[in-house]
């Protein structure tokens, strides 16, 4: 394996053998899921093969997300050889079966948020969405006061930057306080296959909430993230920049600047034009006009139950 700039061994998607080492991947003796009592289904997407469940774990509100993961090419022959087939129907040259795979090839990615706040529960509840157009003035008068009082905690981000959590998952770090960042797998990616590659770059500076705060002063930070992020992903996963979608969300869920790196072939949640801003466009816009994101109108989707939507309605903007 190649060495990365920070001396860490290059990473490839994890195999089951990797998971046998260390406690990540070991069978959890303290399973928050076995005590989980279901309250209601928040969202059930058969096409995406995931389900979002609200419930309680020992009297605490919790959200559990279950997701069937993509079929892995590296385990295909084992899957075909060692599974049992139950015939469902046969007609001429056509037949369908239920394939019963061995347990280790039939895993379900499980995400647990516990304790979950009301805002988490709302985030995952299926809701009607509306497009809002926010001017620079609307941001300062409506959005900023709202997010200052209501946004999700970024404690998990600080834990990553301070190596209190996920330290062993860091793929690359540039420690510079102004232009540095940490690159690590997003928790949406189980790192088992490259089709749904998803990493996030989290900046070290803590004074940039979102795209709206960016000016030309941040160009060295943004170009650094682009070049070192792309180089690292090329070296460690063999995925070239031409196969990546690199973007920022507006609005983000977490107001600490971060950049999403996803496989171009993966239709990641939130990668549509109404929410994702390509990093290369952001860089060009700031080069052309330092106050571009301070002054221009930005459109974004808000869910029917989002408090920010209500603020826009109250201000007569919708
Ligand atoms: P966002 O643009 O603020 O909002 O992205 P979104 O969650 O609506 O997309 C934050 C990104 O951080 C998302 O892609 C999340 O999946 C990811 N993320 C969230 N949390 C709480 C964690 C975490 O604890 N660890 C890691 N590695 N990624 C996370």
């Amino acid at each position: 394996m190649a060495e990365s700039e920070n001396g860490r061994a290059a990473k490839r998607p994890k195999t089951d053998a990797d998971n046998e080492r260390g406690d990540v991947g070991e069978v959890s003796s303290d399973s928050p899921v076995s005590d989980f009592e279901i309250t209601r289904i928040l969202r059930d997407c058969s096409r995406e093969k995931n389900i979002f469940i609200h419930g309680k774990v020992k009297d605490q509100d919790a959200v559990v997300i279950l997701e069937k993961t993509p079929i892995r090419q590296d385990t295909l022959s084992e899957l075909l050889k060692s599974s049992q087939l139950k015939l469902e129907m046969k007609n001429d040259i056509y037949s369908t079966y239920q394939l019963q795979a061995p347990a280790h090839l039939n895993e379900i990615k499980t995400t647990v948020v516990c304790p979950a706040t009301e805002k988490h529960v709302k985030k995952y509840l299926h809701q009607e969405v509306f497009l809002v157009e926010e001017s620079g003035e609307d941001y300062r008068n409506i959005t900023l006061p709202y997010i200052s009082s209501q946004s999700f905690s970024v404690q998990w981000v600080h834990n990553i930057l301070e190596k209190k959590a996920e330290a062993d998952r860091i793929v690359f770090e540039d420690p510079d306080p102004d232009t540095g960042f940490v690159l690590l797998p997003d928790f949406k990616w189980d790192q088992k296959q490259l089709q749904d590659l998803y990493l996030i770059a989290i900046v070290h500076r803590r004074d940039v909430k979102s795209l709206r705060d960016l000016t030309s002063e941040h160009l060295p930070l943004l170009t650094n993230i682009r070049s070192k992020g792309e180089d690292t992903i090329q070296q460690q996963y063999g995925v070239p920049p031409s196969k990546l979608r690199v973007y920022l969300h507006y609005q983000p869920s977490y107001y600490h600047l971060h950049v999403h790196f996803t496989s171009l072939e993966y239709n990641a949640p939130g990668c549509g034009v109404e929410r994702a801003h390509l990093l290369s466009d952001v860089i060009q816009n700031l080069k052309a006009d330092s106050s571009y994101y301070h002054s221009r109108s930005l459109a974004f989707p808000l869910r029917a139950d989002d408090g920010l939507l209500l603020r826009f309605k109250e201000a007569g903007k919708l």
Side-chain angles (χ1 to χ4, degrees):
M1 278 198 190
E3 286 280 301
S4 72
E5 199 164 305
N6 62 359
R8 284 192 177 84
K11 296 202 174 178
R12 294 262 143 212
K14 276 190 191 163
T15 62
D16 289 334
D18 290 331
N19 279 338
E20 275 159 28
R21 284 177 234 126
D23 49 0
V24 171
E26 273 179 13
V27 175
S28 173
S29 51
D30 177 26
S31 160
V33 178
S34 55
D35 286 335
F36 186 73
E37 283 177 28
I38 299 174
T39 314
R40 63 182 164 149
I41 304 301
L42 298 170
R43 202 190 314 172
D44 182 357
C45 317
S46 52
R47 201 171 70 89
E48 275 146 32
K49 299 183 186 60
N50 56 24
I51 189 162
F52 297 70
I53 318 158
H54 177 204
K56 297 241 179 228
V57 176
K58 297 186 184 120
D59 289 338
Q60 284 188 313
D61 270 299
V63 173
V64 170
I65 304 163
L66 302 177
E67 182 182 353
K68 295 227 177 167
T69 50
I71 294 166
R72 286 161 53 187
Q73 290 189 14
D74 60 333
T75 56
L76 266 186
S77 53
E78 189 190 351
L79 181 72
L80 295 174
K81 270 191 204 118
S82 56
S83 300
Q84 286 192 336
L85 278 190
K86 270 195 181 169
L87 181 68
E88 281 189 330
M89 72 97 196
K90 195 166 170 51
N91 182 350
D92 188 34
I93 58 170
Y94 307 100
S95 47
T96 65
Y97 301 86
Q98 278 294 334
L99 182 147
Q100 294 180 334
H104 70 285
L105 297 179
N106 198 17
E107 291 172 340
I108 294 179
K109 181 176 189 297
T110 305
T111 307
V112 179
V113 183
C114 182
T117 63
E118 205 187 317
K119 207 166 150 56
H120 286 109
V121 175
K122 277 190 179 167
K123 176 175 157 96
Y124 296 120
L125 185 66
H126 181 75
Q127 281 278 321
E128 211 179 340
V129 283
F130 297 88
L131 199 71
V132 171
E133 198 152 304
E134 176 203 69
S135 65
E137 206 185 325
D138 293 337
Y139 172 71
R140 287 176 283 280
N141 295 337
I142 305 171
T143 309
L144 185 57
Y146 180 78
I147 60 177
S148 306
S149 63
Q150 298 284 331
S151 56
F152 279 127
S153 159
V154 289
Q155 187 58 49
W156 67 274
V157 172
H158 296 166
N159 289 347
I160 290 171
L161 296 175
E162 292 163 19
K163 317 286 161 14
K164 291 180 181 159
E166 303 189 53
D168 56 335
R169 287 161 42 88
I170 294 176
V171 176
F172 173 83
E173 176 168 15
D174 176 340
D176 189 284
D178 288 325
T179 60
F181 64 98
V182 165
L183 182 75
L184 80 167
D186 191 281
F187 81 172
K188 290 201 210 69
W189 186 36
D190 65 6
Q191 302 179 72
K192 290 195 171 166
Q193 58 283 310
L194 294 174
Q195 290 110 293
D196 59 343
L197 173 137
Y198 200 144
L199 293 107
I200 39 169
I202 301 176
V203 304
H204 273 298
R205 30 192 309 182
R206 298 189 180 191
D207 59 343
V208 191
K209 280 189 278 304
S210 73
L211 187 64
R212 270 282 183 215
D213 286 341
L214 294 173
T215 65
S216 58
E217 183 229 328
H218 303 101
L219 281 168
L221 169 68
L222 299 173
T223 51
N224 192 42
I225 292 176
R226 182 172 62 180
S227 66
K228 292 190 180 145
E230 288 179 348
D231 285 356
T232 305
I233 292 174
Q234 165 96 63
Q235 273 168 33
Q236 307 213 4
Y237 301 99
V239 178
S242 59
K243 291 279 192 183
L244 290 178
R245 184 187 291 114
V246 185
Y247 57 95
L248 292 87
H249 275 155
Y250 194 75
Q251 300 283 337
S253 294
Y254 304 96
Y255 289 88
H256 175 116
L257 193 77
H258 55 274
V259 176
H260 303 250
F261 286 76
T262 65
S263 161
L264 192 58
E265 274 154 37
Y266 173 50
N267 216 351
C271 75
V273 290
E274 74 281 28
R275 189 155 181 238
H277 296 253
L278 279 183
L279 179 60
S280 56
D281 284 344
V282 173
I283 290 173
Q284 286 194 59
N285 290 336
L286 291 174
K287 278 186 182 161
D289 174 6
S290 173
S291 60
Y292 188 90
Y293 290 103
H294 277 198
S295 50
R296 69 155 282 182
S297 285
L298 295 172
F300 49 82
L302 285 179
R303 297 149 47 92
D305 62 350
D306 195 314
L308 186 55
L309 186 76
L310 188 67
R311 301 285 169 100
F312 270 84
K313 278 188 180 157
E314 284 168 355
K317 303 278 172 179
L318 211 79

